[in-house]
Amino acid sequence: MMKVLVCEEPGKLAYEEKEAAVAQPRESLIRIKRIGICGTDLHAYEGTQPFFSYPRILGHELSGYLVEPNGAEGFTKNEAVTFIPYFNCGTCIACRSGKPNCCASIKVCGVHVDGGMVEYLAVPSYALVHGEGLSYDELALVEPLAIGAHGVRRAGVEAGEYVLVIGAGPIGLGTMEFARIAGGKVIAMDMNQGRLDFCRDKLKVDHIINVTTDDVMQKLSDITGGDMPTVVIDATGSLRAINNGFQYMAHGARYVLVGLQKAEISISHPEFHKREATLMSSRNATRADFEHVIASMKKGLVDPTNYITHRVKFDEVKDQFESWLDPANGVIKAMVEL
C-alpha cells in the first residue's frame, strides 16, 4: 500500500491509502522524493483550473529515483530522475509535427490523469529524463523552468531586445531567467512588491514595474526609449492582465500567452493590426526545453533553489496547502519532501 493525497473537490484534500503503483509494459516506476507545488495545483484546489475534473491526485513538478526502470533504454535502477509530465499519443498531427507538448489528446500528469502526490508513480518510459547529477530539489524544478524556457523559445527572443514578463510567480520568474539567458533585457511586471524585489535582488532583473503604483505606459516608454517592448509574455493567467498586455507591445512585437484562464480575451483589432503584431500561445514544454534547462542549471546560469520559500513533509501538505494561496505568506515555491 502507499499513501496518496487526493483533491476530492475544490477546497478539499484528503489522505488515502491505495495499492502501490506497479509499472506496466513500457512504463517505469519512480519513488517520489520531491513535489513542487505550482499554480496549476493551487488553481485546481480553488476550482479555477481549466481542463480539470475531480477527484484528482495533484502534482507534476516531480523528482525521485527509479525503483524499476523496466527496460527503459539508458536508465538504471536507483538513478535520480525527473520526467516530462505531458503524456502524448505519438500519432496526432501535433505529435507528427514534433509538437508533443500540444498533442490533440494530451494527458497531463496531475491534471487529466492522477499525478505525483504519492509515494510511488508509474510513468511512460519515454517520458524519463536523466538527473545529470542535479539534486532532487533542482530536478523537481526543471519542469516549471521548462515552461518558461518554452515560452521564450516561442517568442524567438534575440539579444538586446526588451522583454516584458507580466507576472512574477514561479513560471514568470523562470521565463525571466531564460529571457535573460537568451540575451533579452528583461522588464518584470507584477502587483506584488515583494515578488518584484525578489526579481531585482535575486534574479538581477534590471527593470521592475508595479502595476498598482507605477504609470505603466510611461515607465515602459522610459525604459525602452519610447519604443515599447518587442516581446511581451504573460505568465499570470489573469484576464485583466492579458487584455492589458496588448497595449504594451511595440510595433512589430510578439505577444506570448503562457498563462491560462477560462474567459475570452478582448483586443482592439485596429491597435493590434497596425502593429502587425504576433499573438501566440505557449503550452507545456518539449524535451529540448527540459534539456536546455538542465544544461543551464549545470552551467550555473540559473539557480532554481532560490525560488524555494517553504518546505513541508508529505504528511503536512493537507494542513498547509490553503495557506499557500494567501499572498501575505510570501510563497514563491513550496517544496514537499518525501
Side-chain angles (χ1 to χ4, degrees), residues 243-260:
N243 285 340
N244 285 340
F246 287 95
Q247 65 184 313
Y248 305 146
M249 292 187 293
H251 283 242
R254 294 94 73 200
Y255 189 10
V256 181
L257 303 182
V258 176
L260 176 66

Side-chain angles (χ1 to χ4, degrees), residues 92-109:
C92 72
I93 180 62
C95 290
R96 298 197 312 270
S97 302
K99 298 179 179 180
N101 56 298
C102 60
C103 167
S105 56
I106 201 164
K107 299 287 187 273
V108 177
C109 182

Side-chain angles (χ1 to χ4, degrees), residues 99-152:
K99 298 179 179 180
N101 56 298
C102 60
C103 167
S105 56
I106 201 164
K107 299 287 187 273
V108 177
C109 182
V111 178
H112 307 100
V113 296
D114 283 339
M117 289 195 184
V118 299
E119 295 177 293
Y120 295 90
L121 184 68
V123 304
S125 295
Y126 67 75
L128 290 175
V129 177
H130 289 288
E132 299 283 352
L134 298 178
S135 69
Y136 289 129
D137 282 349
E138 290 171 322
L139 287 173
L141 293 169
V142 170
E143 190 274 341
L145 286 171
I147 297 286
H150 186 71
V152 168

Side-chain angles (χ1 to χ4, degrees), residues 258-270:
V258 176
L260 176 66
Q261 48 77 46
K262 292 181 176 181
E264 295 180 355
I265 60 175
S266 177
I267 65 172
S268 164
H269 188 191

